[in-house]
Amino acid sequence: ETKITHTIIKSATGEFDLENITKLSLVKMNIHRIENLDSCVNLQEINFTGNCIEEILGVEKLVNLRKLVLTSNKVKTLKGLQKCPRLEHIQLQDNLISNMSEVSSLAVLPNLKVLYLKNIDGSMRNAVCDHPSYRSSIVRQLTQLTILDGERLKHMDTVYQEDLLSLGAAPRVEIPPSENWLAGFSWDAGRPDPDAALRPSLARFETAMQVRNAWFRGQG
């Protein structure tokens, strides 16, 4: 078992002053515990791939940490990351995370954009990746994410997508063409013509007047 000491940190980075270190890579060194990083106050990237780390402790004071790679370890819980508010990128493929509540605990990280719990081809997966609503649950709970397992997210399009697909395709709905509901309608349709009944009487009256006028002209 390898313990993380200041000597190992300086040797791995080539830096004598721990405060100047921004990146630290300790890969496949049989490390079981994250420790002695408090003096690396400007540390931004950590890569501890291929070790035996079970808990993410010892990073609480790394307020500038932006990228954490813990691929191929033995991590079961994500407690300990909540005090790293600048974290943007986390890789946890090939670990032992099985509970969705562990993933949802990352919701307190406002800058988290990238999360890997398996590779894009589905390999090196955690047990939680087999949850029936794995993707949709993470999208709902980690709304700040833009990339999950190597795939870019479009939150408005993907929320509940898996749940909806499990119900089968929705039936096609045919919408009939719109029609003018006043087509063929006239405000005068069906209304009686008030002059129709008077026309015969008016015609007879006009004829009588013409005869009368002609008689008076004959008398003159």
Side-chain angles (χ1 to χ4, degrees), residues 145-164:
L145 273 189
T146 58
I147 295 177
L148 175 62
D149 303 328
E151 296 185 10
R152 183 167 295 278
L153 299 178
K154 294 182 180 180
H155 285 268
M156 294 300 293
D157 298 331
T158 58
V159 172
Y160 306 122
Q161 183 176 5
E162 290 182 359
D163 297 331
L164 291 175

Side-chain angles (χ1 to χ4, degrees), residues 100 131-142 162-163:
M100 189 63 72
H131 189 284
S133 298
Y134 164 73
R135 186 179 178 85
S136 60
S137 294
I138 291 180
V139 169
R140 285 196 299 269
Q141 297 178 62
L142 305 184
E162 290 182 359
D163 297 331

Side-chain angles (χ1 to χ4, degrees), residues 1-18:
E1 177 182 345
T2 301
K3 292 185 178 296
I4 301 176
T5 64
H6 288 175
T7 300
I8 287 179
I9 294 172
K10 292 176 181 179
S11 175
T13 61
E15 288 282 355
F16 179 78
D17 191 344
L18 296 178

Side-chain angles (χ1 to χ4, degrees), residues 43-84:
L43 195 58
Q44 296 182 17
E45 296 186 17
I46 290 177
N47 184 356
F48 289 165
T49 296
N51 286 289
C52 302
I53 299 168
E54 296 183 3
E55 296 180 306
I56 310 177
L57 301 177
V59 298
E60 294 85 358
K61 295 184 179 180
L62 302 180
V63 295
N64 292 306
L65 188 63
R66 287 176 167 79
K67 183 175 182 179
L68 177 63
V69 180
L70 290 173
T71 303
S72 299
N73 276 273
K74 298 180 179 180
V75 176
K76 297 179 181 179
T77 176
L78 301 183
K79 292 180 176 64
L81 291 178
Q82 290 72 26
K83 294 185 179 180
C84 300

Side-chain angles (χ1 to χ4, degrees), residues 88-107:
E88 300 175 355
H89 185 121
I90 301 175
Q91 289 184 223
L92 291 163
Q93 306 100 304
D94 190 25
N95 276 279
L96 303 175
I97 301 167
S98 59
N99 197 321
M100 189 63 72
S101 64
E102 294 293 337
V103 181
S104 63
S105 70
L106 301 178

Side-chain angles (χ1 to χ4, degrees), residues 88-130:
E88 300 175 355
H89 185 121
I90 301 175
Q91 289 184 223
L92 291 163
Q93 306 100 304
D94 190 25
N95 276 279
L96 303 175
I97 301 167
S98 59
N99 197 321
M100 189 63 72
S101 64
E102 294 293 337
V103 181
S104 63
S105 70
L106 301 178
V108 299
L109 300 176
N111 296 301
L112 184 61
K113 302 299 180 186
V114 180
L115 176 63
Y116 283 83
L117 293 167
K118 62 179 178 179
N119 288 330
I120 192 170
D121 62 0
S123 63
M124 300 179 70
R125 61 201 297 120
N126 284 266
V128 71
C129 299
D130 296 324

Side-chain angles (χ1 to χ4, degrees), residues 173-219:
V173 178
E174 295 290 343
I175 300 177
S178 61
E179 295 183 359
N180 187 346
W181 67 280
L182 290 176
F185 176 79
S186 172
W187 289 107
D188 294 329
R191 180 183 293 180
D193 184 354
D195 296 331
L198 296 177
R199 286 194 186 103
S201 298
L202 290 173
R204 290 195 296 270
F205 176 77
E206 290 177 358
T207 301
M209 290 299 294
Q210 291 173 359
V211 171
R212 176 179 178 277
N213 292 335
W215 183 83
F216 279 111
R217 286 196 296 271
Q219 294 297 319

